[in-house]
Amino acid sequence: MPTINGDRKKVNSVLVDLLGSGNVYYDPPASIKMKYPAIRYTLEDVDTTAASNAAHVVHVKYMCTLIDREADSAIFKKLLYNSMFVFDRHYVADNLHHYVFHVWALEPNN
Protein backbone atom coordinates (compact mmCIF):
# COMPACT_ATOMS: atom_id res chain seq x y z
CA MET A 1 0.00 0.00 0.00
CA PRO A 2 1.40 3.46 -0.87
CA THR A 3 1.94 5.49 2.28
CA ILE A 4 3.05 8.82 3.61
CA ASN A 5 5.93 8.35 6.02
CA GLY A 6 4.96 10.39 9.06
CA ASP A 7 2.25 11.28 11.51
CA ARG A 8 -0.96 13.26 11.01
CA LYS A 9 0.96 16.54 10.83
CA LYS A 10 2.92 15.17 7.86
CA VAL A 11 -0.35 14.14 6.19
CA ASN A 12 -1.66 17.66 6.80
CA SER A 13 1.48 19.14 5.22
CA VAL A 14 1.12 16.94 2.11
CA LEU A 15 -2.54 17.96 1.77
CA VAL A 16 -1.69 21.67 2.11
CA ASP A 17 0.96 21.30 -0.60
CA LEU A 18 -1.45 19.50 -2.95
CA LEU A 19 -4.25 21.99 -2.34
CA GLY A 20 -1.96 25.01 -2.62
CA SER A 21 -3.57 26.72 0.37
CA GLY A 22 -4.15 26.34 4.09
CA ASN A 23 -7.81 25.33 3.64
CA VAL A 24 -7.13 21.88 5.09
CA TYR A 25 -9.23 20.83 8.06
CA TYR A 26 -8.81 17.83 10.38
CA ASP A 27 -12.14 16.89 11.97
CA PRO A 28 -13.45 20.46 11.90
CA PRO A 29 -16.27 21.30 14.32
CA ALA A 30 -19.58 22.43 12.82
CA SER A 31 -18.84 25.99 13.95
CA ILE A 32 -15.88 26.27 11.53
CA LYS A 33 -16.74 28.03 8.26
CA MET A 34 -14.61 26.31 5.63
CA LYS A 35 -13.22 28.21 2.65
CA TYR A 36 -13.35 26.44 -0.71
CA PRO A 37 -11.68 24.68 -2.32
CA ALA A 38 -10.88 22.74 0.84
CA ILE A 39 -9.80 19.33 2.03
CA ARG A 40 -11.46 17.88 5.12
CA TYR A 41 -9.97 14.70 6.54
CA THR A 42 -10.56 12.32 9.40
CA LEU A 43 -9.14 9.15 10.89
CA GLU A 44 -10.77 6.11 9.33
CA ASP A 45 -8.80 3.00 10.26
CA VAL A 46 -5.63 1.71 11.91
CA ASP A 47 -3.71 -1.39 10.86
CA THR A 48 -1.21 -2.63 13.43
CA THR A 49 1.43 -5.29 12.89
CA ALA A 50 2.63 -6.75 16.18
CA ALA A 51 5.91 -8.37 17.07
CA SER A 52 6.93 -9.65 20.50
CA ASN A 53 3.48 -8.74 21.88
CA ALA A 54 3.91 -5.06 20.99
CA ALA A 55 2.88 -2.84 18.09
CA HIS A 56 5.72 -2.92 15.61
CA VAL A 57 4.31 -1.15 12.56
CA VAL A 58 1.25 1.10 12.64
CA HIS A 59 -0.46 2.30 9.47
CA VAL A 60 -3.16 4.94 9.92
CA LYS A 61 -5.79 5.39 7.22
CA TYR A 62 -7.35 8.80 6.65
CA MET A 63 -10.44 9.61 4.64
CA CYS A 64 -9.84 12.85 2.74
CA THR A 65 -12.61 14.80 1.05
CA LEU A 66 -11.76 17.46 -1.48
CA ILE A 67 -14.63 19.96 -1.58
CA ASP A 68 -14.68 22.22 -4.63
CA ARG A 69 -17.18 24.36 -6.50
CA GLU A 70 -15.64 23.24 -9.80
CA ALA A 71 -16.93 20.07 -11.45
CA ASP A 72 -13.64 19.80 -13.39
CA SER A 73 -11.43 20.47 -10.40
CA ALA A 74 -7.72 20.78 -11.18
CA ILE A 75 -7.02 19.71 -7.59
CA PHE A 76 -9.02 16.52 -8.13
CA LYS A 77 -6.80 15.72 -11.10
CA LYS A 78 -3.66 16.32 -9.00
CA LEU A 79 -4.96 13.84 -6.41
CA LEU A 80 -5.80 11.30 -9.11
CA TYR A 81 -2.23 11.32 -10.39
CA ASN A 82 -0.66 11.13 -6.93
CA SER A 83 0.08 7.50 -6.15
CA MET A 84 -0.38 7.99 -2.40
CA PHE A 85 -4.11 8.69 -2.74
CA VAL A 86 -6.81 6.19 -3.69
CA PHE A 87 -10.06 7.56 -5.12
CA ASP A 88 -13.25 6.24 -3.52
CA ARG A 89 -16.28 8.20 -4.73
CA HIS A 90 -17.78 11.52 -5.81
CA TYR A 91 -20.99 13.20 -4.75
CA VAL A 92 -22.58 16.64 -4.88
CA ALA A 93 -24.06 18.33 -1.81
CA ASP A 94 -25.08 21.97 -1.42
CA ASN A 95 -23.85 22.64 -4.98
CA LEU A 96 -20.32 21.57 -3.97
CA HIS A 97 -18.44 18.65 -5.49
CA HIS A 98 -17.06 16.20 -2.93
CA TYR A 99 -14.24 13.90 -4.05
CA VAL A 100 -13.44 11.24 -1.44
CA PHE A 101 -9.95 9.77 -1.29
CA HIS A 102 -8.05 7.56 1.14
CA VAL A 103 -4.44 7.81 2.21
CA TRP A 104 -2.33 5.66 4.54
CA ALA A 105 0.35 7.06 6.83
CA LEU A 106 3.13 5.06 8.46
CA GLU A 107 3.00 6.26 12.04
CA PRO A 108 6.52 6.72 13.45
CA ASN A 109 7.40 4.70 16.55
CA ASN A 110 8.75 7.24 19.05
PDB file of all heavy atoms in Angstrom, residues 39-77:
ATOM      1  N   ILE A  39      -9.897  20.757   1.767  1.00  0.00           N
ATOM      2  CA  ILE A  39      -9.803  19.327   2.033  1.00  0.00           C
ATOM      3  C   ILE A  39     -10.109  19.120   3.509  1.00  0.00           C
ATOM      4  O   ILE A  39      -9.492  19.742   4.376  1.00  0.00           O
ATOM      5  CB  ILE A  39      -8.417  18.751   1.686  1.00  0.00           C
ATOM      6  CG1 ILE A  39      -8.154  18.862   0.184  1.00  0.00           C
ATOM      7  CG2 ILE A  39      -8.322  17.285   2.144  1.00  0.00           C
ATOM      8  CD1 ILE A  39      -6.783  18.393  -0.253  1.00  0.00           C
ATOM      9  N   ARG A  40     -11.101  18.275   3.759  1.00  0.00           N
ATOM     10  CA  ARG A  40     -11.465  17.880   5.118  1.00  0.00           C
ATOM     11  C   ARG A  40     -11.040  16.419   5.261  1.00  0.00           C
ATOM     12  O   ARG A  40     -11.281  15.600   4.374  1.00  0.00           O
ATOM     13  CB  ARG A  40     -12.979  18.011   5.297  1.00  0.00           C
ATOM     14  CG  ARG A  40     -13.466  17.633   6.688  1.00  0.00           C
ATOM     15  CD  ARG A  40     -14.978  17.708   6.770  1.00  0.00           C
ATOM     16  NE  ARG A  40     -15.562  16.677   5.920  1.00  0.00           N
ATOM     17  CZ  ARG A  40     -16.602  16.866   5.118  1.00  0.00           C
ATOM     18  NH1 ARG A  40     -17.183  18.028   5.021  1.00  0.00           N
ATOM     19  NH2 ARG A  40     -17.069  15.870   4.385  1.00  0.00           N
ATOM     20  N   TYR A  41     -10.382  16.098   6.366  1.00  0.00           N
ATOM     21  CA  TYR A  41      -9.968  14.704   6.539  1.00  0.00           C
ATOM     22  C   TYR A  41     -10.165  14.245   7.972  1.00  0.00           C
ATOM     23  O   TYR A  41     -10.259  15.054   8.895  1.00  0.00           O
ATOM     24  CB  TYR A  41      -8.526  14.485   6.061  1.00  0.00           C
ATOM     25  CG  TYR A  41      -7.435  15.127   6.886  1.00  0.00           C
ATOM     26  CD1 TYR A  41      -6.608  14.353   7.698  1.00  0.00           C
ATOM     27  CD2 TYR A  41      -7.204  16.489   6.828  1.00  0.00           C
ATOM     28  CE1 TYR A  41      -5.591  14.930   8.432  1.00  0.00           C
ATOM     29  CE2 TYR A  41      -6.179  17.072   7.560  1.00  0.00           C
ATOM     30  CZ  TYR A  41      -5.380  16.284   8.360  1.00  0.00           C
ATOM     31  OH  TYR A  41      -4.366  16.859   9.098  1.00  0.00           O
ATOM     32  N   THR A  42     -10.276  12.917   8.103  1.00  0.00           N
ATOM     33  CA  THR A  42     -10.559  12.323   9.396  1.00  0.00           C
ATOM     34  C   THR A  42      -9.924  10.939   9.476  1.00  0.00           C
ATOM     35  O   THR A  42      -9.679  10.305   8.444  1.00  0.00           O
ATOM     36  CB  THR A  42     -12.085  12.236   9.632  1.00  0.00           C
ATOM     37  OG1 THR A  42     -12.339  11.826  10.966  1.00  0.00           O
ATOM     38  CG2 THR A  42     -12.746  11.278   8.669  1.00  0.00           C
ATOM     39  N   LEU A  43      -9.666  10.490  10.662  1.00  0.00           N
ATOM     40  CA  LEU A  43      -9.138   9.148  10.889  1.00  0.00           C
ATOM     41  C   LEU A  43     -10.209   8.137  10.499  1.00  0.00           C
ATOM     42  O   LEU A  43     -11.370   8.271  10.866  1.00  0.00           O
ATOM     43  CB  LEU A  43      -8.793   8.982  12.365  1.00  0.00           C
ATOM     44  CG  LEU A  43      -8.299   7.610  12.811  1.00  0.00           C
ATOM     45  CD1 LEU A  43      -6.907   7.341  12.260  1.00  0.00           C
ATOM     46  CD2 LEU A  43      -8.295   7.516  14.313  1.00  0.00           C
ATOM     47  N   GLU A  44      -9.795   7.108   9.736  1.00  0.00           N
ATOM     48  CA  GLU A  44     -10.770   6.108   9.326  1.00  0.00           C
ATOM     49  C   GLU A  44     -10.432   4.708   9.832  1.00  0.00           C
ATOM     50  O   GLU A  44     -11.322   3.936  10.165  1.00  0.00           O
ATOM     51  CB  GLU A  44     -10.898   6.082   7.810  1.00  0.00           C
ATOM     52  CG  GLU A  44     -11.970   5.124   7.350  1.00  0.00           C
ATOM     53  CD  GLU A  44     -12.240   5.208   5.874  1.00  0.00           C
ATOM     54  OE1 GLU A  44     -11.330   4.941   5.081  1.00  0.00           O
ATOM     55  OE2 GLU A  44     -13.380   5.559   5.534  1.00  0.00           O
ATOM     56  N   ASP A  45      -9.166   4.359   9.893  1.00  0.00           N
ATOM     57  CA  ASP A  45      -8.797   2.997  10.263  1.00  0.00           C
ATOM     58  C   ASP A  45      -7.354   2.973  10.733  1.00  0.00           C
ATOM     59  O   ASP A  45      -6.573   3.873  10.428  1.00  0.00           O
ATOM     60  CB  ASP A  45      -8.960   2.077   9.041  1.00  0.00           C
ATOM     61  CG  ASP A  45      -8.951   0.596   9.389  1.00  0.00           C
ATOM     62  OD1 ASP A  45      -8.994   0.253  10.586  1.00  0.00           O
ATOM     63  OD2 ASP A  45      -8.885  -0.220   8.455  1.00  0.00           O
ATOM     64  N   VAL A  46      -7.011   1.930  11.473  1.00  0.00           N
ATOM     65  CA  VAL A  46      -5.632   1.707  11.912  1.00  0.00           C
ATOM     66  C   VAL A  46      -5.313   0.242  11.693  1.00  0.00           C
ATOM     67  O   VAL A  46      -6.113  -0.634  12.043  1.00  0.00           O
ATOM     68  CB  VAL A  46      -5.441   2.075  13.406  1.00  0.00           C
ATOM     69  CG1 VAL A  46      -4.039   1.740  13.880  1.00  0.00           C
ATOM     70  CG2 VAL A  46      -5.758   3.545  13.644  1.00  0.00           C
ATOM     71  N   ASP A  47      -4.171  -0.017  11.093  1.00  0.00           N
ATOM     72  CA  ASP A  47      -3.707  -1.386  10.865  1.00  0.00           C
ATOM     73  C   ASP A  47      -2.388  -1.550  11.617  1.00  0.00           C
ATOM     74  O   ASP A  47      -1.413  -0.867  11.319  1.00  0.00           O
ATOM     75  CB  ASP A  47      -3.512  -1.638   9.370  1.00  0.00           C
ATOM     76  CG  ASP A  47      -3.100  -3.068   9.082  1.00  0.00           C
ATOM     77  OD1 ASP A  47      -3.575  -3.982   9.784  1.00  0.00           O
ATOM     78  OD2 ASP A  47      -2.297  -3.265   8.146  1.00  0.00           O
ATOM     79  N   THR A  48      -2.385  -2.438  12.591  1.00  0.00           N
ATOM     80  CA  THR A  48      -1.210  -2.633  13.432  1.00  0.00           C
ATOM     81  C   THR A  48      -0.617  -4.011  13.203  1.00  0.00           C
ATOM     82  O   THR A  48      -1.330  -5.009  13.213  1.00  0.00           O
ATOM     83  CB  THR A  48      -1.591  -2.496  14.928  1.00  0.00           C
ATOM     84  OG1 THR A  48      -2.193  -1.220  15.123  1.00  0.00           O
ATOM     85  CG2 THR A  48      -0.380  -2.619  15.821  1.00  0.00           C
ATOM     86  N   THR A  49       0.692  -4.039  12.986  1.00  0.00           N
ATOM     87  CA  THR A  49       1.427  -5.292  12.892  1.00  0.00           C
ATOM     88  C   THR A  49       2.215  -5.440  14.189  1.00  0.00           C
ATOM     89  O   THR A  49       2.981  -4.550  14.565  1.00  0.00           O
ATOM     90  CB  THR A  49       2.396  -5.278  11.689  1.00  0.00           C
ATOM     91  OG1 THR A  49       1.640  -5.024  10.513  1.00  0.00           O
ATOM     92  CG2 THR A  49       3.118  -6.605  11.562  1.00  0.00           C
ATOM     93  N   ALA A  50       1.989  -6.546  14.879  1.00  0.00           N
ATOM     94  CA  ALA A  50       2.628  -6.746  16.183  1.00  0.00           C
ATOM     95  C   ALA A  50       3.813  -7.703  16.059  1.00  0.00           C
ATOM     96  O   ALA A  50       3.846  -8.581  15.202  1.00  0.00           O
ATOM     97  CB  ALA A  50       1.629  -7.297  17.183  1.00  0.00           C
ATOM     98  N   ALA A  51       4.761  -7.471  16.936  1.00  0.00           N
ATOM     99  CA  ALA A  51       5.914  -8.367  17.074  1.00  0.00           C
ATOM    100  C   ALA A  51       6.306  -8.362  18.538  1.00  0.00           C
ATOM    101  O   ALA A  51       6.333  -7.311  19.185  1.00  0.00           O
ATOM    102  CB  ALA A  51       7.078  -7.891  16.211  1.00  0.00           C
ATOM    103  N   SER A  52       6.568  -9.529  19.080  1.00  0.00           N
ATOM    104  CA  SER A  52       6.929  -9.654  20.503  1.00  0.00           C
ATOM    105  C   SER A  52       5.888  -9.007  21.401  1.00  0.00           C
ATOM    106  O   SER A  52       6.216  -8.267  22.329  1.00  0.00           O
ATOM    107  CB  SER A  52       8.308  -9.047  20.764  1.00  0.00           C
ATOM    108  OG  SER A  52       9.283  -9.687  19.990  1.00  0.00           O
ATOM    109  N   ASN A  53       4.613  -9.238  21.079  1.00  0.00           N
ATOM    110  CA  ASN A  53       3.480  -8.741  21.877  1.00  0.00           C
ATOM    111  C   ASN A  53       3.419  -7.219  21.986  1.00  0.00           C
ATOM    112  O   ASN A  53       2.900  -6.686  22.962  1.00  0.00           O
ATOM    113  CB  ASN A  53       3.497  -9.355  23.283  1.00  0.00           C
ATOM    114  CG  ASN A  53       3.255 -10.843  23.232  1.00  0.00           C
ATOM    115  OD1 ASN A  53       2.488 -11.325  22.399  1.00  0.00           O
ATOM    116  ND2 ASN A  53       3.915 -11.585  24.098  1.00  0.00           N
ATOM    117  N   ALA A  54       3.971  -6.521  20.997  1.00  0.00           N
ATOM    118  CA  ALA A  54       3.913  -5.057  20.987  1.00  0.00           C
ATOM    119  C   ALA A  54       3.689  -4.591  19.548  1.00  0.00           C
ATOM    120  O   ALA A  54       4.069  -5.273  18.603  1.00  0.00           O
ATOM    121  CB  ALA A  54       5.198  -4.471  21.538  1.00  0.00           C
ATOM    122  N   ALA A  55       3.061  -3.416  19.418  1.00  0.00           N
ATOM    123  CA  ALA A  55       2.877  -2.841  18.086  1.00  0.00           C
ATOM    124  C   ALA A  55       4.240  -2.574  17.483  1.00  0.00           C
ATOM    125  O   ALA A  55       5.113  -1.968  18.099  1.00  0.00           O
ATOM    126  CB  ALA A  55       2.073  -1.561  18.182  1.00  0.00           C
ATOM    127  N   HIS A  56       4.434  -3.078  16.279  1.00  0.00           N
ATOM    128  CA  HIS A  56       5.719  -2.917  15.613  1.00  0.00           C
ATOM    129  C   HIS A  56       5.609  -1.912  14.466  1.00  0.00           C
ATOM    130  O   HIS A  56       6.451  -1.041  14.315  1.00  0.00           O
ATOM    131  CB  HIS A  56       6.200  -4.278  15.095  1.00  0.00           C
ATOM    132  CG  HIS A  56       7.501  -4.252  14.402  1.00  0.00           C
ATOM    133  ND1 HIS A  56       8.671  -3.912  15.036  1.00  0.00           N
ATOM    134  CD2 HIS A  56       7.825  -4.507  13.111  1.00  0.00           C
ATOM    135  CE1 HIS A  56       9.665  -3.973  14.167  1.00  0.00           C
ATOM    136  NE2 HIS A  56       9.178  -4.331  12.994  1.00  0.00           N
ATOM    137  N   VAL A  57       4.573  -2.059  13.666  1.00  0.00           N
ATOM    138  CA  VAL A  57       4.311  -1.148  12.562  1.00  0.00           C
ATOM    139  C   VAL A  57       2.849  -0.725  12.638  1.00  0.00           C
ATOM    140  O   VAL A  57       1.966  -1.570  12.767  1.00  0.00           O
ATOM    141  CB  VAL A  57       4.590  -1.828  11.194  1.00  0.00           C
ATOM    142  CG1 VAL A  57       4.247  -0.898  10.055  1.00  0.00           C
ATOM    143  CG2 VAL A  57       6.032  -2.300  11.103  1.00  0.00           C
ATOM    144  N   VAL A  58       2.615   0.583  12.565  1.00  0.00           N
ATOM    145  CA  VAL A  58       1.251   1.100  12.641  1.00  0.00           C
ATOM    146  C   VAL A  58       0.983   1.958  11.404  1.00  0.00           C
ATOM    147  O   VAL A  58       1.671   2.953  11.169  1.00  0.00           O
ATOM    148  CB  VAL A  58       1.028   1.935  13.924  1.00  0.00           C
ATOM    149  CG1 VAL A  58      -0.368   2.532  13.935  1.00  0.00           C
ATOM    150  CG2 VAL A  58       1.281   1.095  15.164  1.00  0.00           C
ATOM    151  N   HIS A  59       0.006   1.522  10.608  1.00  0.00           N
ATOM    152  CA  HIS A  59      -0.458   2.304   9.469  1.00  0.00           C
ATOM    153  C   HIS A  59      -1.798   2.924   9.852  1.00  0.00           C
ATOM    154  O   HIS A  59      -2.690   2.226  10.338  1.00  0.00           O
ATOM    155  CB  HIS A  59      -0.651   1.430   8.232  1.00  0.00           C
ATOM    156  CG  HIS A  59       0.623   1.023   7.581  1.00  0.00           C
ATOM    157  ND1 HIS A  59       1.247  -0.165   7.851  1.00  0.00           N
ATOM    158  CD2 HIS A  59       1.394   1.653   6.677  1.00  0.00           C
ATOM    159  CE1 HIS A  59       2.347  -0.257   7.139  1.00  0.00           C
ATOM    160  NE2 HIS A  59       2.459   0.833   6.408  1.00  0.00           N
ATOM    161  N   VAL A  60      -1.928   4.218   9.614  1.00  0.00           N
ATOM    162  CA  VAL A  60      -3.155   4.940   9.918  1.00  0.00           C
ATOM    163  C   VAL A  60      -3.791   5.370   8.604  1.00  0.00           C
ATOM    164  O   VAL A  60      -3.124   5.961   7.746  1.00  0.00           O
ATOM    165  CB  VAL A  60      -2.865   6.165  10.809  1.00  0.00           C
ATOM    166  CG1 VAL A  60      -4.143   6.927  11.109  1.00  0.00           C
ATOM    167  CG2 VAL A  60      -2.167   5.740  12.091  1.00  0.00           C
ATOM    168  N   LYS A  61      -5.069   5.047   8.447  1.00  0.00           N
ATOM    169  CA  LYS A  61      -5.793   5.389   7.225  1.00  0.00           C
ATOM    170  C   LYS A  61      -6.658   6.621   7.475  1.00  0.00           C
ATOM    171  O   LYS A  61      -7.394   6.688   8.458  1.00  0.00           O
ATOM    172  CB  LYS A  61      -6.675   4.221   6.786  1.00  0.00           C
ATOM    173  CG  LYS A  61      -7.415   4.445   5.487  1.00  0.00           C
ATOM    174  CD  LYS A  61      -8.247   3.202   5.157  1.00  0.00           C
ATOM    175  CE  LYS A  61      -8.981   3.338   3.852  1.00  0.00           C
ATOM    176  NZ  LYS A  61      -9.841   2.158   3.600  1.00  0.00           N
ATOM    177  N   TYR A  62      -6.542   7.587   6.566  1.00  0.00           N
ATOM    178  CA  TYR A  62      -7.347   8.801   6.654  1.00  0.00           C
ATOM    179  C   TYR A  62      -8.284   8.880   5.457  1.00  0.00           C
ATOM    180  O   TYR A  62      -7.909   8.537   4.336  1.00  0.00           O
ATOM    181  CB  TYR A  62      -6.457  10.050   6.659  1.00  0.00           C
ATOM    182  CG  TYR A  62      -5.602  10.155   7.891  1.00  0.00           C
ATOM    183  CD1 TYR A  62      -4.298   9.673   7.900  1.00  0.00           C
ATOM    184  CD2 TYR A  62      -6.100  10.727   9.054  1.00  0.00           C
ATOM    185  CE1 TYR A  62      -3.512   9.758   9.035  1.00  0.00           C
ATOM    186  CE2 TYR A  62      -5.320  10.816  10.199  1.00  0.00           C
ATOM    187  CZ  TYR A  62      -4.031  10.330  10.168  1.00  0.00           C
ATOM    188  OH  TYR A  62      -3.256  10.416  11.305  1.00  0.00           O
ATOM    189  N   MET A  63      -9.504   9.307   5.709  1.00  0.00           N
ATOM    190  CA  MET A  63     -10.443   9.608   4.637  1.00  0.00           C
ATOM    191  C   MET A  63     -10.341  11.105   4.372  1.00  0.00           C
ATOM    192  O   MET A  63     -10.530  11.921   5.283  1.00  0.00           O
ATOM    193  CB  MET A  63     -11.881   9.249   5.014  1.00  0.00           C
ATOM    194  CG  MET A  63     -12.860   9.524   3.891  1.00  0.00           C
ATOM    195  SD  MET A  63     -14.558   9.028   4.269  1.00  0.00           S
ATOM    196  CE  MET A  63     -14.943  10.131   5.617  1.00  0.00           C
ATOM    197  N   CYS A  64     -10.015  11.454   3.140  1.00  0.00           N
ATOM    198  CA  CYS A  64      -9.842  12.849   2.744  1.00  0.00           C
ATOM    199  C   CYS A  64     -10.937  13.210   1.748  1.00  0.00           C
ATOM    200  O   CYS A  64     -11.174  12.468   0.795  1.00  0.00           O
ATOM    201  CB  CYS A  64      -8.491  13.049   2.070  1.00  0.00           C
ATOM    202  SG  CYS A  64      -7.081  12.445   3.019  1.00  0.00           S
ATOM    203  N   THR A  65     -11.569  14.341   1.961  1.00  0.00           N
ATOM    204  CA  THR A  65     -12.613  14.798   1.045  1.00  0.00           C
ATOM    205  C   THR A  65     -12.233  16.166   0.505  1.00  0.00           C
ATOM    206  O   THR A  65     -12.154  17.135   1.262  1.00  0.00           O
ATOM    207  CB  THR A  65     -13.978  14.877   1.747  1.00  0.00           C
ATOM    208  OG1 THR A  65     -14.277  13.608   2.341  1.00  0.00           O
ATOM    209  CG2 THR A  65     -15.076  15.251   0.769  1.00  0.00           C
ATOM    210  N   LEU A  66     -11.966  16.195  -0.801  1.00  0.00           N
ATOM    211  CA  LEU A  66     -11.761  17.464  -1.481  1.00  0.00           C
ATOM    212  C   LEU A  66     -13.132  18.048  -1.756  1.00  0.00           C
ATOM    213  O   LEU A  66     -14.004  17.364  -2.318  1.00  0.00           O
ATOM    214  CB  LEU A  66     -11.003  17.254  -2.800  1.00  0.00           C
ATOM    215  CG  LEU A  66     -11.008  18.432  -3.771  1.00  0.00           C
ATOM    216  CD1 LEU A  66     -10.266  19.629  -3.183  1.00  0.00           C
ATOM    217  CD2 LEU A  66     -10.419  18.019  -5.108  1.00  0.00           C
ATOM    218  N   ILE A  67     -13.358  19.287  -1.358  1.00  0.00           N
ATOM    219  CA  ILE A  67     -14.633  19.962  -1.584  1.00  0.00           C
ATOM    220  C   ILE A  67     -14.346  21.166  -2.470  1.00  0.00           C
ATOM    221  O   ILE A  67     -13.548  22.034  -2.111  1.00  0.00           O
ATOM    222  CB  ILE A  67     -15.282  20.406  -0.256  1.00  0.00           C
ATOM    223  CG1 ILE A  67     -15.393  19.220   0.709  1.00  0.00           C
ATOM    224  CG2 ILE A  67     -16.648  21.038  -0.516  1.00  0.00           C
ATOM    225  CD1 ILE A  67     -15.717  19.609   2.127  1.00  0.00           C
ATOM    226  N   ASP A  68     -14.994  21.189  -3.639  1.00  0.00           N
ATOM    227  CA  ASP A  68     -14.685  22.220  -4.626  1.00  0.00           C
ATOM    228  C   ASP A  68     -15.969  22.626  -5.340  1.00  0.00           C
ATOM    229  O   ASP A  68     -16.861  21.802  -5.536  1.00  0.00           O
ATOM    230  CB  ASP A  68     -13.666  21.676  -5.637  1.00  0.00           C
ATOM    231  CG  ASP A  68     -12.923  22.757  -6.389  1.00  0.00           C
ATOM    232  OD1 ASP A  68     -13.423  23.905  -6.472  1.00  0.00           O
ATOM    233  OD2 ASP A  68     -11.830  22.452  -6.910  1.00  0.00           O
ATOM    234  N   ARG A  69     -16.031  23.880  -5.731  1.00  0.00           N
ATOM    235  CA  ARG A  69     -17.179  24.360  -6.502  1.00  0.00           C
ATOM    236  C   ARG A  69     -17.095  23.902  -7.963  1.00  0.00           C
ATOM    237  O   ARG A  69     -18.095  23.841  -8.655  1.00  0.00           O
ATOM    238  CB  ARG A  69     -17.237  25.883  -6.444  1.00  0.00           C
ATOM    239  CG  ARG A  69     -17.646  26.424  -5.098  1.00  0.00           C
ATOM    240  CD  ARG A  69     -17.749  27.956  -5.104  1.00  0.00           C
ATOM    241  NE  ARG A  69     -18.314  28.427  -3.868  1.00  0.00           N
ATOM    242  CZ  ARG A  69     -17.604  28.705  -2.776  1.00  0.00           C
ATOM    243  NH1 ARG A  69     -16.302  28.553  -2.780  1.00  0.00           N
ATOM    244  NH2 ARG A  69     -18.210  29.136  -1.686  1.00  0.00           N
ATOM    245  N   GLU A  70     -15.885  23.590  -8.403  1.00  0.00           N
ATOM    246  CA  GLU A  70     -15.636  23.241  -9.799  1.00  0.00           C
ATOM    247  C   GLU A  70     -15.889  21.755 -10.060  1.00  0.00           C
ATOM    248  O   GLU A  70     -15.329  20.904  -9.373  1.00  0.00           O
ATOM    249  CB  GLU A  70     -14.190  23.578 -10.178  1.00  0.00           C
ATOM    250  CG  GLU A  70     -13.827  25.028  -9.997  1.00  0.00           C
ATOM    251  CD  GLU A  70     -14.613  25.949 -10.910  1.00  0.00           C
ATOM    252  OE1 GLU A  70     -14.889  25.570 -12.066  1.00  0.00           O
ATOM    253  OE2 GLU A  70     -14.973  27.058 -10.457  1.00  0.00           O
ATOM    254  N   ALA A  71     -16.688  21.470 -11.074  1.00  0.00           N
ATOM    255  CA  ALA A  71     -16.933  20.073 -11.453  1.00  0.00           C
ATOM    256  C   ALA A  71     -15.682  19.457 -12.082  1.00  0.00           C
ATOM    257  O   ALA A  71     -15.414  18.273 -11.915  1.00  0.00           O
ATOM    258  CB  ALA A  71     -18.098  19.992 -12.429  1.00  0.00           C
ATOM    259  N   ASP A  72     -14.904  20.255 -12.790  1.00  0.00           N
ATOM    260  CA  ASP A  72     -13.637  19.797 -13.388  1.00  0.00           C
ATOM    261  C   ASP A  72     -12.479  20.338 -12.566  1.00  0.00           C
ATOM    262  O   ASP A  72     -11.641  21.096 -13.060  1.00  0.00           O
ATOM    263  CB  ASP A  72     -13.528  20.267 -14.845  1.00  0.00           C
ATOM    264  CG  ASP A  72     -14.482  19.537 -15.758  1.00  0.00           C
ATOM    265  OD1 ASP A  72     -14.749  18.345 -15.492  1.00  0.00           O
ATOM    266  OD2 ASP A  72     -14.945  20.145 -16.736  1.00  0.00           O
ATOM    267  N   SER A  73     -12.423  19.952 -11.333  1.00  0.00           N
ATOM    268  CA  SER A  73     -11.435  20.467 -10.397  1.00  0.00           C
ATOM    269  C   SER A  73     -10.010  20.063 -10.777  1.00  0.00           C
ATOM    270  O   SER A  73      -9.705  18.876 -10.941  1.00  0.00           O
ATOM    271  CB  SER A  73     -11.749  19.935  -8.993  1.00  0.00           C
ATOM    272  OG  SER A  73     -10.700  20.248  -8.108  1.00  0.00           O
ATOM    273  N   ALA A  74      -9.142  21.045 -10.907  1.00  0.00           N
ATOM    274  CA  ALA A  74      -7.725  20.778 -11.179  1.00  0.00           C
ATOM    275  C   ALA A  74      -7.084  20.073  -9.984  1.00  0.00           C
ATOM    276  O   ALA A  74      -6.164  19.262 -10.158  1.00  0.00           O
ATOM    277  CB  ALA A  74      -6.998  22.081 -11.488  1.00  0.00           C
ATOM    278  N   ILE A  75      -7.564  20.353  -8.792  1.00  0.00           N
ATOM    279  CA  ILE A  75      -7.024  19.709  -7.586  1.00  0.00           C
ATOM    280  C   ILE A  75      -7.390  18.237  -7.581  1.00  0.00           C
ATOM    281  O   ILE A  75      -6.568  17.380  -7.228  1.00  0.00           O
ATOM    282  CB  ILE A  75      -7.542  20.420  -6.316  1.00  0.00           C
ATOM    283  CG1 ILE A  75      -7.139  21.893  -6.355  1.00  0.00           C
ATOM    284  CG2 ILE A  75      -7.001  19.758  -5.061  1.00  0.00           C
ATOM    285  CD1 ILE A  75      -7.989  22.794  -5.511  1.00  0.00           C
ATOM    286  N   PHE A  76      -8.603  17.906  -8.000  1.00  0.00           N
ATOM    287  CA  PHE A  76      -9.020  16.520  -8.125  1.00  0.00           C
ATOM    288  C   PHE A  76      -8.063  15.765  -9.043  1.00  0.00           C
ATOM    289  O   PHE A  76      -7.624  14.655  -8.738  1.00  0.00           O
ATOM    290  CB  PHE A  76     -10.453  16.453  -8.653  1.00  0.00           C
ATOM    291  CG  PHE A  76     -10.893  15.097  -9.123  1.00  0.00           C
ATOM    292  CD1 PHE A  76     -11.003  14.041  -8.240  1.00  0.00           C
ATOM    293  CD2 PHE A  76     -11.200  14.882 -10.452  1.00  0.00           C
ATOM    294  CE1 PHE A  76     -11.416  12.785  -8.667  1.00  0.00           C
ATOM    295  CE2 PHE A  76     -11.618  13.637 -10.895  1.00  0.00           C
ATOM    296  CZ  PHE A  76     -11.719  12.584 -10.005  1.00  0.00           C
ATOM    297  N   LYS A  77      -7.709  16.368 -10.160  1.00  0.00           N
ATOM    298  CA  LYS A  77      -6.800  15.718 -11.102  1.00  0.00           C
ATOM    299  C   LYS A  77      -5.412  15.530 -10.491  1.00  0.00           C
ATOM    300  O   LYS A  77      -4.758  14.510 -10.718  1.00  0.00           O
ATOM    301  CB  LYS A  77      -6.750  16.500 -12.401  1.00  0.00           C
ATOM    302  CG  LYS A  77      -8.074  16.390 -13.154  1.00  0.00           C
ATOM    303  CD  LYS A  77      -8.115  17.194 -14.407  1.00  0.00           C
ATOM    304  CE  LYS A  77      -9.514  17.077 -15.014  1.00  0.00           C
ATOM    305  NZ  LYS A  77      -9.723  17.980 -16.099  1.00  0.00           N
TER     306      LYS A  77
END
